[in-house]
Amino acid sequence: EAQVTQNPRYLITVTGKKLTVTCSQNMNHEYMSWYRQDPGLGLRQIYYSMNVEVTDKGDVPEGYKVSRKEKRNFPLILESPSPNQTSLYFCASRSPFTNNYGYTFGSGTRLTVV
Amino acid sequence: GENVEQHPSTLSVQEGDSAVIKCTYSDSASNYFPWYKQELGKRPQLIIDIRSNVGEKKDQRIAVTLNKTAKHFSLHITETQPEDSAVYFCAASIDRGSTLGRLYFGRGTQLTVWP
């Protein structure tokens, strides 16, 4: 089944403790992206990647890192999480070589930083 | 960068009525406009999209219209049903052939359909 897989689905952590949220897609998509979703603010892009080893900042990149060493994986790293990073995170991928150009989203990761 | 504005932020309709959600965009080069539906606790899912060379697209009870001159596009849902209740997001991007641009989202519309 074509999908974007995020892990974990839920995570509670403490301030300052480094964490990684994994994202993997099995559709050979070139373009991957991370969004955070907060009430009233919609979906805000954190980072995106147009292909392997090509990443760029979105609208809210502060406090996050990403890497794209393989086409299928695009992990999101929080080196020193803070409470204002408590949010719902979505990974998504898309490709120009499919019937539509829309994103396929992962199931989301609900992160709480205390 | 692109700025996408979406209205209204909340919309309540009676079952069977129509619902219209409107979005405007700022960059006239934008050429791809998808709509996503997000049910409570779920991921956003693509429901319909339109490219700038088309003025309207329909899929059963949903349709999207695009006015490039005015830089706005709209989602139309006819004969609404309670299961249409969700948050709807519009988005816009500049895609050039095999090079995809950033997808910019509106802030979402909470649609509630009352039985």
Side-chain angles (χ1 to χ4, degrees):
Chain A
E1 180 189 351
Q3 59 186 353
V4 178
T5 303
Q6 282 180 242
N7 281 296
R9 289 291 308 276
Y10 302 92
L11 178 60
I12 301 175
T13 190
V14 296
T15 299
K17 185 176 182 183
K18 181 180 178 179
L19 67 91
T20 299
V21 184
T22 63
C23 174
S24 180
Q25 49 93 5
N26 62 359
M27 298 167 283
N28 202 35
H29 283 176
E30 292 74 22
Y31 194 99
M32 297 185 74
S33 186
W34 277 102
Y35 287 87
R36 61 178 288 173
Q37 185 174 22
D38 303 289
L41 298 178
L43 293 158
R44 293 183 293 167
Q45 194 174 48
I46 304 170
Y47 270 95
Y48 63 100
S49 169
M50 296 182 72
N51 216 322
V52 176
E53 301 291 4
V54 181
T55 63
D56 209 344
K57 296 177 181 179
D59 297 314
V60 287
E62 295 78 21
Y64 304 94
K65 285 175 58 177
V66 293
S67 68
R68 188 92 182 272
K69 294 185 171 59
E70 308 164 277
K71 197 171 187 179
R72 62 184 292 124
N73 295 323
F74 190 44
L76 179 69
I77 303 157
L78 285 73
E79 294 270 2
S80 182
S82 62
N84 64 10
Q85 292 179 297
T86 292
S87 187
L88 177 59
Y89 291 87
F90 286 103
C91 179
S93 71
R94 62 191 289 232
S95 171
F97 305 114
T98 56
N99 289 335
N100 64 66
Y101 284 11
Y103 271 132
T104 299
F105 280 86
S107 297
T109 295
R110 187 166 291 282
L111 172 66
T112 301
V113 183
V114 298
Chain B
E2 172 68 279
N3 181 42
V4 177
E5 296 197 353
Q6 184 171 348
H7 299 280
S9 57
T10 60
L11 179 61
S12 292
V13 299
Q14 201 75 32
E15 183 177 1
D17 288 349
S18 295
V20 181
I21 302 170
K22 299 181 179 180
C23 289
T24 61
Y25 59 98
S26 60
D27 194 332
S28 57
S30 290
N31 57 6
Y32 175 65
F33 307 92
W35 285 88
Y36 292 83
K37 175 184 180 182
Q38 186 179 28
E39 296 175 352
L40 190 63
K42 303 268 182 80
R43 75 189 82 187
Q45 294 205 299
L46 180 71
I47 55 171
I48 196 167
D49 56 8
I50 193 169
R51 295 197 178 84
S52 59
N53 58 348
V54 176
E56 183 175 2
K57 184 176 179 181
K58 284 184 180 179
D59 183 2
Q60 299 182 346
R61 294 187 297 108
I62 60 173
V64 57
T65 58
L66 171 65
N67 183 326
K68 285 191 293 183
T69 303
K71 291 190 283 187
H72 69 71
F73 56 113
S74 300
L75 178 71
H76 304 253
I77 306 174
T78 58
E79 300 172 25
T80 53
Q81 300 166 4
E83 50 265 39
D84 293 329
S85 296
V87 178
Y88 291 81
F89 291 98
C90 64
S93 72
I94 302 171
D95 294 340
R96 295 190 175 92
S98 62
T99 300
L100 301 180
R102 285 184 59 183
L103 204 58
Y104 294 86
F105 284 87
R107 291 196 172 190
T109 297
Q110 173 67 62
L111 173 65
T112 303
V113 180
W114 300 100

